[in-house]
Amino acid sequence: MPDPARRSPVYPQSARLALGFVLLLALSAACAPGSDPDEPDFAQAGEQRLPPAESVLSSVRSGLPSIPVLVRGQVLRGGLPRQRRRIFSFEAELDFASDPASIQYTLLDAFGAVRRQLLVVWFADGEAGWQLEEDGKISTLDGAGFYAPIPDTDVAWSDLALSFLWRREGRTIGLGRVKGRECYILEFSPPAGASAGGPVRVWIDMKMRVFLKMEETGRDGQLARSFSVKDFRRVSGVWMVKNVEVRSHPGKNRTLIRVDELCAPGLEDAD
């Protein structure tokens, strides 16, 4: 596994760490999200030539922010809104323009104390390096740990690391709709260490090249976990995700990732 220290300068241990995937969900003001239900549609796939999955993901990566961005929010767990309880708050610092690109996370408890920190770096060749700090101890994550849920949530470290975005072996299998948006549907084999054991499907907006939904299936072919955008907010003329829901199926519990604040040079937050 590549050493995160390959990055220059070296990360400070106390750096704010982050929830990076939220910026992949931005939509331009000219393309405000709709409210239509999901409408998977594979019939259209035969009417046009579908681009390779690597080409789609490359265009997503090229659209990532070129400036450091800080995101603050909360992770809540429960079924109905009145049943949800906060599991932790987070601060998220993203730097995709650095070499290598980095996603840094800090998970905070109800009193603002740091519970866990994760550093992930992605190199140009697709290799990744990650290390976890918990209770003052630094350790590396193996495959099983990287794809395992964070305690008391349905969210895995690999979700926060945007691991699918750097994968090279996927394929484009069809077209579909999410929130009224036309999407390419990409499929990946289950990564080594993943608990679900079945294919992973990702929905990418065709025009804006942003991530909108992900589904994991089990070895039995049934839906095991889903990850979807629920609603948006407008920030300096850009539509940014407000809430993301993660569910482990067939259970009824849900994890909600709520974005409260976005900070970056030149951005003015406006709900």
Side-chain angles (χ1 to χ4, degrees):
M1 184 186 76
D3 185 351
R6 282 173 54 183
R7 177 184 176 186
S8 178
V10 176
Y11 299 114
Q13 301 248 338
S14 60
R16 291 169 298 189
L17 303 181
L19 208 59
F21 66 88
V22 292
L23 295 176
L24 298 181
L25 308 172
L27 296 175
S28 73
C31 300
S35 58
D36 296 344
D38 297 353
E39 300 175 9
D41 184 0
F42 292 88
Q44 299 180 46
E47 301 174 8
Q48 67 181 81
R49 185 175 180 180
L50 298 175
E54 170 55 24
S55 175
V56 175
L57 294 179
S58 177
S59 64
V60 176
R61 293 193 300 268
S62 67
L64 293 173
S66 58
I67 56 176
V69 178
L70 174 66
V71 179
R72 294 188 177 99
Q74 304 176 57
V75 172
L76 304 100
R77 185 90 188 280
L80 298 175
R82 66 177 180 273
Q83 299 172 331
R84 290 172 184 159
R85 61 186 178 90
R86 186 173 65 178
I87 304 301
F88 55 77
S89 299
F90 64 82
E91 291 185 350
E93 189 176 341
L94 322 176
D95 190 357
F96 295 112
S98 62
D99 184 16
S102 68
I103 304 174
Q104 303 184 74
Y105 311 77
T106 296
L107 310 186
L108 309 168
D109 65 18
F111 302 99
V114 175
R115 290 181 56 182
R116 297 176 183 87
Q117 294 184 317
L118 179 72
L119 164 65
V120 181
V121 295
W122 292 102
F123 302 103
D125 57 8
E127 287 190 272
W130 55 78
Q131 67 181 27
L132 177 68
E133 182 174 350
E134 188 171 10
D135 297 327
K137 298 179 181 179
I138 297 177
S139 61
T140 57
L141 291 170
D142 58 15
F146 192 55
Y147 292 99
I150 298 172
D152 299 321
T153 78
D154 300 286
V155 181
W157 290 116
S158 57
D159 299 331
L160 308 186
L162 301 176
S163 58
F164 72 88
L165 192 58
W166 274 265
R167 295 185 66 177
R168 307 296 175 114
E169 82 291 358
R171 60 193 184 100
T172 308
I173 63 171
L175 306 177
R177 286 182 183 270
V178 176
K179 300 289 184 182
R181 304 285 302 172
E182 294 284 347
C183 296
Y184 292 119
I185 303 176
L186 313 183
E187 185 174 86
F188 303 89
S189 58
S195 59
V200 177
R201 287 182 176 177
V202 176
W203 279 252
I204 301 293
D205 187 289
M206 290 176 60
K207 292 184 178 179
M208 302 307 300
R209 292 297 201 271
V210 291
F211 163 75
L212 294 180
K213 188 172 78 167
M214 179 171 64
E215 291 185 350
E216 294 179 357
T217 56
R219 292 181 177 85
D220 58 1
Q222 299 298 309
L223 180 62
R225 204 168 64 101
S226 60
F227 193 108
S228 59
V229 180
K230 302 306 293 182
D231 48 41
F232 298 81
R233 70 194 296 180
R234 192 169 182 172
V235 181
S236 292
V238 174
W239 285 100
M240 188 68 64
V241 67
K242 172 65 175 176
N243 292 300
V244 177
E245 182 181 88
V246 186
R247 292 188 61 184
S248 294
H249 300 268
K252 295 182 179 180
N253 261 337
R254 308 176 186 196
T255 298
L256 185 73
I257 301 170
R258 188 173 73 193
V259 176
D260 295 324
E261 184 180 1
L262 173 69
C263 303
L267 286 186
E268 296 180 359
D269 201 351
D271 289 320

